[in-house]
Amino acid sequence: MKFDTISVIGLGYIGLPTATVFASRQHAVVGVDVDKHAVDTINQGKIHIVEPDLDMLVHAAVSQGFLRATTCTEPANAFLIAVPTPFKESHKPDLSHIEAAAATIAPVLQKGNLVILESTSPVGTTDALATWLAEHRPDLTFPQQAGEASDIRIAYCPERVLPGHILRELVENDRIIGGMTPACSRLARELYELFVRGNCIVTTARTAEMCKLTENAFRDVNIAFANELSTICDALDISVWELISHANRHPRVNILQPGPGVGGHCIAVDPWFIVDSAPDEAKLIRTAREVNDRKPHRVLEKVKNAAARFKQPKIACFGLAFKANIDDLRESPALEITHSLIDAGVGEICVVEPNIRTMPAALEGAILCDAERALKWADIVVLLVDHKEFANIQIERLQSHVVIDTRGIWSNRRRIADATTS
Ligand code: SAJ
């Protein structure tokens, strides 16, 4: 078989599910990560992240011998790189993890190997990866030197799965395959067709890189529209939730939901890669980022104003994750708001976050407790994440609190209740 062994570099939120899906189709997969704790956890058949059903699949793949994790790269037929691409100061992309991944796979590369970059990356990164690999291995030929005849095939194939639905979306979503040459695309497509049920669409590496950035910038701009509407509605004393629900009854209007800001490691980061590459052209994309980044400060001001009505305000923050029903706190506006409240000494703070067991170090000084206790204790309740556990809270339980609902899950129900009782 062409792909006797598949190696996945980076066993995080994308790499581990991808490695596991290949392994669950009975392909031998070696996962590589610099984090020894993650490697040991996976080799015990357990997981170090939260994603529905992933624990079961990893347990099965490891116990049947199809998935193994290690800290040292080993030879394979195909290498998939799924490492983080954060930004540095001034929102400049940080490609150091990709460069490090190139350095670790280069020594084990063999003629005929396929190297795929999945990490979200600025346009031109696949070419840079090919250059780094060629510098390490002058004995092999690469697509930028030998074109269709290259020893090593290289492609950019972005992941586009939604956290919380990763296992389903990995299989069902269409996949964009950006080979450096047509032969690179063909081989990459064969690899993904081992498990992808969606269409595998072939394009160039640069278009595939831009496609991934475009998808997330599109969502960011649309969320910014909703967030800007929410601040306009605050100023005009209109319920933004009611407004959006009415406007969305128009057949060609589909406004997203406002929130406390945009979090996660993707949407809050990727649009900056476009802005960095084309600063004079990407005006709307930059403004959307700025609108979304300002949103946590607006929520903070609202909470401060509410707290000013109490001598010793007790504030319960509901949710820390960057979105509903996950444990991921990366770039979370909820975390940022809670942290700023503690920092500014606005009052006593308690946090309700059903998806974590220990309070993050950054929130020292606040107590982690359950919803029941928080509701009994607090004067002010700030809903920051629409976790399913919070949606089930009876609105009668919130009658005696000042409620700041940044996601509209309680405000919506109050509105409906008000309408039916008046
Ligand atoms: N958000 C809102 N209002 C909304 C929708 C989202 O405030 O109406 C907020 C969320 O609360 C969260 C942030 O935006 O803080 C991002 O959440 P998300 O669900 O929009 O996206 P992610 O970051 O979980 O995943 C995105 C997805 N991209 C798109 O939908 C275009 C996913 O498909 C990508 O694979 C992923 O980024 C990624 O890895 O790039």
Side-chain angles (χ1 to χ4, degrees), residues 271-286:
W272 288 118
F273 294 177
I274 301 180
V275 175
D276 183 65
S277 299
D280 294 334
E281 291 77 16
K283 296 215 163 45
L284 176 65
I285 292 172
R286 174 197 286 276

Side-chain angles (χ1 to χ4, degrees), residues 159-161 163 212 216 219 256-257 263 266 322-323 407:
E159 60 78 17
R160 28 183 18 197
V161 288
K212 168 70 194 187
N216 282 351
R219 192 148 169 91
L256 293 181
Q257 296 300 302
C266 309
F322 84 81
K323 66 176 194 175
R407 300 276 184 177

